[in-house]
Amino acid sequence: MARRGVMAHHGSRTSGPAQRVKARGYRPSVTAENIAAGRFGLDGVLQAWNSSPGHLGNILIPQLRDYGIGHAIAADGKTVFWTAVYAAPHR
């Protein structure tokens, strides 16, 4: 997202988080993703997601077992793109 300057759940070569985790060898039964862009630090983005019913809904999906959070700084040197991916393995 930071490289393209576009906040979107689909990637330049993928349709969404499930496709990306599968490409890394993870076999998900469920995936969810939260994204954000702005001048957030970790505490700020977590607060924003926890304050949003849709984002909090992703965090609280009962089946989820694994997660990863990452960030990248855009070319402007100021905008931070955040992604959290949540998943549960296929059993």
Side-chain angles (χ1 to χ4, degrees):
M1 290 186 301
R3 194 174 320 122
R4 294 182 298 146
V6 175
M7 191 172 79
H9 290 283
H10 65 278
S12 59
R13 292 172 293 211
T14 64
S15 61
Q19 190 177 11
R20 288 192 298 278
V21 298
K22 287 176 184 176
R24 295 288 182 195
Y26 190 101
R27 292 183 28 153
S29 62
V30 63
T31 59
E33 179 178 65
N34 288 344
I35 59 175
R39 296 183 182 187
F40 297 106
L42 178 60
D43 290 340
V45 77
L46 292 176
Q47 181 178 9
W49 287 335
N50 283 308
S51 299
S52 161
H55 292 100
L56 183 58
N58 282 343
I59 294 167
L60 297 178
I61 294 171
Q63 298 87 345
L64 297 176
R65 297 290 176 259
D66 301 310
Y67 68 93
I69 299 175
H71 72 283
I73 300 171
D76 67 6
K78 300 174 185 174
T79 305
V80 182
F81 285 84
W82 289 91
T83 303
V85 176
Y86 313 96
H90 186 30
R91 299 199 185 268

